[in-house]
């Protein structure tokens, strides 16, 4: 397994797909904190800025995972990999694990950036334990979303389609469901993400971070299973 | 001659389309097989099934008595050059081969050796793949197939995009590889370029293996392209 894992890490690092994604993430996180302060002289509260960072990290990780796996299926890299090691589940396992790791890195970077931005503005006014907990939640969220995205990429196979599905799901369908029923929403990946980063709501019940983590892990496991079933059976072109 | 590849009753269907229909054949070590047939005959599908990328609907393929997916060191048994890979723009050819060498548990220096073998200069291998021509990508795909120094080499349209030097190199290599005891299966439309190198011709038409003949059995003065066209026309007449 380790050789395929090392090969997949090489593939991801040499694809450089993460570079524009991480730059966009960094710009967004910094602007979320800085723009209101610079433009309007207003400061957003730290929790809002950190949550915004976690959301963008999750979507970025999911997109990176999906674009990597769907892209490799399309451009022939997965085929080349299977000719070197035809154990399909091993190859898929490596792809998902590397996306999980990339997601965790993206999440940790987003949390650090958001913290730094707030520190620069002199607004880092949460206790250290909360900052650590939110940072950890952001990293776990982005890691699981990376895996979820990679699995979605394997199932959907088309990078453009996978990106559209992820963006529509995250920015249209889930918010729409949350307006219809928050009780349902908290069991969706978006709701679980909010739990993981300790979102506070005066109007709705938000499960504790551990429960949110378990819900998101459940979604990621289901997606990985769907990817495994698809990848085992389908022909690779 | 030792049999290396056995295909038995192989059928592959895509919904209503039968891409391969009860194909059976054996390939032996030290021989070059040229797989020919019109577009849609099933050549590429046969190579994909052989390389474990497509699953047969029925029938079996074994390499040294085992399916490709259960070989211990598959890259050292089968090297397949199918469509030229479309590399991500930022990855270099050398990095690509390093990825595959790692996956195949081969030393990284092997990447340098095969780059040298297929005639890709070091400065080209170091360049971003986004700048590669079709011929360069074809050479890189060939290099990837040769990483494990395999005993069975499967090539799909290997002359596509190659310049005259590349084709001449490939023709020499086919004979050298066969001379070293390897089994070579080449699917190609370029009969004029490769037929002279082949020991045996396999003719596929509409998924069926309609003819197998040793090169020596064919009229040495015959124009193979015309002979193949006539064979396929006669086959079409029979089916009507």
């Amino acid at each position: 397994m380790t050789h395929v894992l090392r090969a997949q890490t090489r593939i991801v690092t040499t694809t450089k797909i993460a570079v524009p994604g991480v730059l966009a993430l960094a710009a967004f996180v910094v602007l979320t904190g800085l723009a209101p302060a610079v433009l309007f002289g207003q400061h957003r509260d730290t929790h809002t800025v950190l949550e915004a960072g976690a959301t963008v990290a999750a979507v970025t990780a999911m997109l990176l995972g999906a674009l990597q796996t769907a892209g490799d299926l399309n451009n022939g890299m997965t085929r080349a990999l299977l000719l070197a090691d035809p154990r399909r589940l091993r190859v898929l396992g490596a792809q998902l694990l590397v996306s999980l790791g990339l997601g965790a890195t993206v999440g940790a970077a987003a949390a650090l950036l958001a913290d730094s931005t707030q520190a620069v503005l002199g607004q880092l006014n949460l206790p250290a334990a909360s900052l650590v907990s939110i940072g950890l939640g952001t990293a776990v969220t982005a890691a699981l979303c990376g895996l979820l995205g990679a699995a979605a990429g394997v199932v959907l196979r088309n990078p453009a389609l996978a990106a559209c599905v992820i963006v529509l799901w995250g920015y249209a369908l889930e918010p729409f469901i949350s307006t219809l029923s928050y009780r349902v929403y908290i069991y969706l990946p978006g709701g679980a993400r909010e739990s993981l980063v300790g979102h506070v709501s005066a109007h709705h019940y938000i499960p504790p971070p551990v429960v949110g983590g378990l819900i998101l892990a459940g979604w990621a496991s289901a997606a990985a299973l769907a990817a495994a079933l698809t990848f085992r059976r389908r022909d690779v072109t | 001659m030792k049999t290396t590849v056995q295909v038995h009753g192989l059928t592959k269907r895509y919904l209503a389309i039968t891409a391969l229909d009860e194909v059976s054949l054996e390939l032996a070590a030290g021989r070059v097989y040229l797989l020919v047939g019109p577009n849609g005959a099933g050549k590429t599908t046969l190579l994909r099934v052989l390389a474990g990328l497509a699953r047969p609907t029925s029938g079996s393929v074994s390499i040294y008595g085992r399916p490709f997916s259960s070989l211990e060191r598959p890259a050292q048994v089968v090297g397949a050059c199918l469509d030229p890979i479309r590399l991500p723009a930022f990855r270099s050819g050398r990095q690509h081969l390093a990825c595959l060498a790692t996956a195949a548990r081969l030393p990284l220096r092997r990447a340098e050796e095969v780059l040298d073998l297929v005639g890709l200069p070091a400065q080209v291998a170091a360049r971003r793949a986004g700048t590669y021509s079709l011929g360069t990508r074809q050479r890189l795909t060939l290099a990837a197939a040769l990483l494990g120094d395999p005993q069975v080499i499967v090539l799909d349209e290997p002359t596509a995009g190659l310049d005259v030097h590349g084709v001449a190199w490939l023709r020499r290599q086919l004979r050298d590889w066969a001379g070293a005891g390897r089994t070579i299966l080449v699917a190609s439309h370029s009969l004029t370029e490769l037929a002279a190198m082949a020991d045996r011709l396999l003719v596929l038409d509409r998924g069926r293996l309609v003819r197998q003949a040793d090169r020596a059995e064919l009229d040495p003065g015959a124009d193979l392209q015309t002979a193949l066209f006539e064979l396929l026309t006669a086959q079409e007449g029979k089916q009507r």
Side-chain angles (χ1 to χ4, degrees):
Chain A
M1 179 75 185
T2 53
H3 60 284
V4 191
L5 206 54
R6 277 188 289 125
Q8 186 59 29
T9 307
R10 259 182 203 279
I11 289 168
V12 170
T13 51
T14 55
T15 305
K16 296 185 181 165
I17 192 173
V19 174
V22 171
L23 287 178
L25 163 88
F28 185 90
V29 171
V30 171
L31 285 176
T32 304
L34 284 183
V38 173
L39 296 176
F40 310 112
Q42 296 170 342
H43 291 292
R44 289 212 170 137
D45 76 275
T46 304
H47 209 281
T48 306
V49 174
L50 299 190
E51 270 191 52
T55 304
V56 183
V59 174
T60 305
M62 210 185 271
L63 283 174
L64 290 177
L67 293 177
Q68 184 70 48
T69 51
D72 282 351
L73 275 165
N74 259 266
N75 64 27
M77 194 63 213
T78 301
R79 180 184 66 215
L81 207 52
L82 286 172
L83 290 171
D85 188 334
R87 270 80 169 177
R88 290 190 179 207
L89 290 184
R90 191 149 69 187
V91 169
L92 177 68
Q95 288 180 330
L96 297 182
L97 280 176
V98 170
S99 289
L100 185 95
L102 180 63
T105 311
V106 165
L112 275 176
L113 261 176
D115 286 347
S116 310
T117 309
Q118 289 303 92
V120 167
L121 294 170
Q123 294 291 311
L124 199 59
N125 46 17
L126 287 176
S130 297
L131 289 176
V132 170
S133 156
I134 295 172
L136 201 62
T138 304
V140 171
T141 301
L144 291 171
C145 284
L147 193 152
L148 197 60
V154 171
V155 173
L156 296 171
R157 292 187 135 196
N158 181 318
L161 176 67
C164 286
V165 167
I166 287 167
V167 170
L168 282 177
W169 177 270
Y171 287 106
L173 193 64
E174 281 193 337
F176 178 66
I177 292 171
S178 76
T179 60
L180 293 180
S181 168
Y182 214 86
R183 259 189 279 178
V184 172
Y185 174 68
I186 58 172
Y187 294 106
L188 297 180
R193 196 172 64 216
E194 287 186 6
S195 302
L196 259 167
V197 294
H199 179 69
V200 181
S201 170
H203 309 290
H204 304 291
Y205 164 71
I206 308 286
V210 175
V211 176
L214 289 173
I215 292 170
L216 196 54
W219 279 98
S221 305
L225 184 66
L229 292 174
T230 314
F231 195 56
R232 260 187 85 176
R233 294 172 65 90
R234 266 200 210 149
D235 294 345
V236 175
T237 53
Chain B
M1 272 176 294
K2 187 182 176 188
T3 300
T4 51
V5 179
Q6 279 186 310
V7 177
H8 182 68
L10 187 66
T11 298
K12 175 70 183 173
R13 287 196 193 92
Y14 296 101
L15 299 174
I17 298 164
T18 303
L20 293 172
D21 190 3
E22 290 283 331
V23 173
S24 294
L25 55 91
E26 288 189 353
L27 309 182
R31 304 199 83 192
V32 179
Y33 296 84
L34 184 59
L35 182 63
V36 294
N39 290 331
K43 303 185 295 291
T44 299
T45 304
L46 177 59
L47 302 191
R48 285 186 192 286
V49 174
L50 206 146
L53 297 170
R55 291 179 188 261
T57 307
S58 62
S60 63
V61 176
S62 60
I63 299 153
Y64 291 103
R66 300 169 71 178
F68 178 68
S69 60
S70 69
L71 294 170
E72 278 305 316
R73 295 266 182 156
Q76 289 168 6
V77 181
V78 181
C81 169
L82 303 174
D83 302 332
I85 189 167
R86 297 187 305 275
L87 288 176
F90 289 101
R91 189 182 300 149
S92 71
R94 181 177 284 116
Q95 287 171 331
H96 173 63
L97 292 177
C99 293
L100 298 180
T102 308
R105 284 179 275 187
L106 297 166
L108 292 182
R109 68 177 150 72
R110 185 64 194 147
E112 299 301 324
E113 289 169 12
V114 289
L115 281 170
D116 200 34
L117 184 65
V118 301
L120 268 184
Q123 67 270 29
V124 175
R127 264 191 357 223
R128 291 174 180 182
T131 62
Y132 287 0
S133 66
L134 175 63
T136 304
R137 285 193 291 131
Q138 184 69 293
R139 281 175 191 260
L140 189 62
T141 314
L142 270 168
L146 300 173
L147 266 174
D149 196 15
Q151 289 304 302
V152 177
I153 298 173
V154 176
L155 310 170
D156 191 10
E157 297 292 352
T159 55
L162 289 185
D163 56 19
V164 283
H165 301 294
V167 173
W169 167 83
L170 184 67
R171 288 167 59 137
R172 276 196 310 275
Q173 282 302 133
L174 291 177
R175 289 310 330 162
D176 287 352
W177 288 329
R182 293 183 174 86
T183 304
I184 319 293
L185 176 61
V186 187
S188 181
H189 288 292
S190 307
L191 278 174
T192 44
E193 282 168 347
L194 296 175
M197 303 296 115
D199 296 304
R200 192 167 174 82
L201 266 75
L202 311 170
V203 184
L204 265 183
D205 184 30
R206 297 171 204 206
R208 299 185 75 89
L209 189 63
V210 294
R211 177 97 198 263
Q212 296 189 57
D214 273 359
R215 184 74 183 84
E217 290 171 35
L218 300 171
D219 176 2
D223 171 11
L224 281 174
Q225 203 86 43
T226 311
L228 177 67
F229 178 73
E230 283 168 2
L231 172 70
L232 294 173
T233 310
Q235 194 70 25
E236 208 168 300
K238 265 190 223 169
Q239 284 176 352
R240 279 189 196 139

